[in-house]
Amino acid sequence: MAILELIAVVCGLFGAYATASVKRKDRQIGFVVFTIGAIASVPLYFYKDLYGLLLLSGAYLALDIRGIITNRKK
């Protein structure tokens, strides 16, 4: 489980850095990395019975997918 926590934290930090970029492609990569971190956190929240955070992670997944779609290359 510790590796999943590490993945979630690293993806969160890099995703936050990348989504602040002025380049559209970098922002899209940031949202993809955020999505990977959110997916990694789902088993953690389920295993530790943190259902509120599990629902919040689902909401973040929806926002990440919206960000990926919005920042597609035109």
Side-chain angles (χ1 to χ4, degrees):
M1 285 294 171
I3 190 72
L4 289 177
E5 291 176 9
L6 180 66
I7 290 170
V9 169
V10 169
C11 287
L13 291 173
F14 180 76
Y17 171 76
T19 56
S21 177
V22 295
K23 297 179 192 171
R24 180 182 298 261
K25 184 175 182 173
D26 290 347
R27 283 194 309 265
Q28 186 179 19
I29 290 171
F31 281 114
V32 170
V33 172
F34 264 142
T35 303
I36 293 168
I39 290 170
S41 68
V42 167
L44 293 171
Y45 297 150
F46 187 75
Y47 178 73
K48 295 182 180 181
D49 296 331
L50 300 171
Y51 298 117
L53 290 175
L54 183 62
L55 290 172
L56 187 62
S57 183
Y60 284 145
L61 272 170
L63 289 173
D64 291 340
I65 291 170
R66 180 185 168 272
I68 293 168
I69 292 169
T70 303
N71 289 295
R72 278 190 313 210
K73 193 172 184 178
K74 294 182 180 181

